[in-house]
Amino acid sequence: MSKTTPGTLLLSKAGIAFDLHPYDYDPDAPRVGLQAAEALGIDASQTFKTLMAEVDGKPVCVVVPSDCEVSMKKMAAAFHGKSGQMMKVPDAERLTGYKVGGISPFGQRKSTPTVIDEMAQLYDIVYINAGQRGLLLSIAPDDAAHFLSAPFADLTS
């Protein structure tokens, strides 16, 4: 497994501190984020999943705790929209350049407006996908938000 992804290259170039955490990815896991947290022995609420969605038909990215579900209503409101829905897998992969199960908010092929769930602010470090299946990175939430120009908002139901 390569430990270099478009996201890790950009974070390194920007001088953002992060650490990599490889784990054994299980393609049959019902919830990849929870499986990653378990494999690494870290709290699922500190492990964040990256989801690609659409608000009023426009692509967006949300980063939420792995043990929570996104509220479509709250997500739409966070992007000042009316309605939200999850993006189809082929569209998400084409837009980001990453495979589902390995989508990172960092280094996506096309820059997309991003919001991070406010629960990230409860931690000094959060774990987010680094850009490939079986590889998380740990980063300070404020560093992630600053790098992504992403506000924090309540996104979960």
Side-chain angles (χ1 to χ4, degrees):
M1 167 194 316
S2 170
K3 292 186 181 174
T4 303
T5 68
T8 60
L9 289 172
L10 286 174
L11 287 168
S12 293
K13 187 175 179 180
I16 305 284
F18 67 93
D19 288 309
L20 293 175
H21 306 274
Y23 67 94
D24 290 328
Y25 174 78
D26 178 1
D28 298 321
R31 296 179 66 183
V32 173
L34 295 179
Q35 186 264 323
E38 185 178 327
L40 290 169
I42 52 181
D43 188 355
S45 63
Q46 194 174 357
T47 307
F48 282 65
K49 56 188 172 185
T50 305
L51 302 173
M52 300 306 296
E54 295 176 351
V55 171
D56 297 342
K58 295 183 178 143
V60 299
C61 177
V62 293
V63 182
V64 298
S66 292
D67 61 349
C68 295
E69 295 297 322
V70 175
S71 162
M72 292 298 137
K73 186 175 182 176
K74 289 179 181 179
M75 179 184 71
F79 290 99
H80 310 291
K82 293 181 181 177
S83 67
Q85 65 183 25
M86 296 307 299
M87 189 179 287
K88 292 183 172 90
V89 169
D91 296 337
E93 292 182 343
R94 187 172 38 261
L95 183 73
T96 64
Y98 295 124
K99 295 283 184 198
V100 167
I103 292 179
S104 177
F106 310 108
Q108 293 185 359
R109 185 177 287 152
K110 186 173 188 307
S111 183
T112 307
T114 303
V115 173
I116 301 171
D117 189 81
E118 65 187 6
M119 291 201 309
Q121 295 174 295
L122 299 174
Y123 302 100
D124 293 331
I125 294 291
V126 292
Y127 297 83
I128 303 173
N129 200 291
Q132 69 181 244
R133 295 169 177 167
L135 186 63
L136 296 184
L137 61 81
S138 56
I139 188 169
D142 288 341
D143 287 347
H146 177 73
F147 181 82
L148 296 166
S149 299
F152 293 101
D154 178 10
L155 297 170
T156 60
S157 37

